[in-house]
Amino acid sequence: MSGEQRTVIKGNASKYVKLNVGGALFYTTIGTLIKQDTMLRAMFSGRIEVLTDSEGWILIDRCGKHFGAILNYLRDGDISLPESKHELLELLTEVKYYLIQPLVELIEKQFKKHDELEPICRVPLITSAKEEQILVASTSKPVVKLLCNRHNNKYSYTNNSDDNLLKNIELFDKVSLRFNGRILFIKDVIGSQEICCWSFFGHGQKMAEVCCTSIVYGTDKKHTKVEFPEARIYEETLNVLLYENRDQRPDAELMQATRGRIENYNSDEDTEEKMERYRRK
């Protein structure tokens, strides 16, 4: 660019200089820039030449997005680090370029905290059918939803129902950890009148449903029974993976075979044969 020249910056600490960092303009003192033993101290203490334009702006060919934060750190010895991991990485790249070692160490410590606090699996908690529709429509992944609300009941529970309810919740946690990168798992804690029900979605449509509750008749009154159809739930979870790729629809016969099973669970179906089939898968 016409008018650019290399020069050595000299002056006392109170002298102000104009900086053009990748198009972002800053105005600060030499004292701030040479406060710590960094590349900036080398540039503004006369040890190396810097590039200036015809208007006296000192040109630094770096991104200026985080340079203001770097200046504040040099002024005060403190900095408000960005919460975003991506922006933190951007800042670290710039800080390493300017050789500000104490700030490099501070940011790397923050990265370790991010890694310690980063959840392995995120499960949205919904409270309405509208929330469900939005999530199912907006994701490119297949969806598995567990509706679990013990209070959606007007009868007493059978003896094993509470244990089976807990087993369904534990199984949901187990499969969500195993397939969290491939399936979106949703938990519904209010729902309609269901107590424990699994729903499976592919390409935005419900493909199967496993209702784990039924009404049984005692000698004097009705009771609610909660089942734990583990093999059936695993089977439907594996089936829904057929809808993993929205751009490539599964074979029509496979789609027909895996959709439309919306029915209550019957404990007679929970055979050793189905469990063995799951284990082989």
Side-chain angles (χ1 to χ4, degrees), residues 140-144 179 182-183 200-203 207 234-259 261 281:
S140 60
K141 299 177 182 179
V143 177
V144 173
F179 296 110
R182 302 172 64 185
I183 298 174
F200 304 85
F201 300 83
H203 295 170
M207 295 299 165
Y234 269 122
E235 183 179 19
E236 297 298 352
T237 302
L238 294 175
N239 283 338
V240 84
L241 286 171
L242 295 171
Y243 302 89
E244 201 169 0
N245 190 340
R246 275 187 181 270
D247 299 326
Q248 182 179 352
R249 298 183 67 83
D251 181 86
E253 292 184 2
L254 283 175
M255 290 180 66
Q256 183 63 33
T258 58
R259 70 177 301 172
R261 288 189 303 277
K281 287 180 182 179

Side-chain angles (χ1 to χ4, degrees), residues 42 219 224 271:
T219 55
T224 299
T271 62

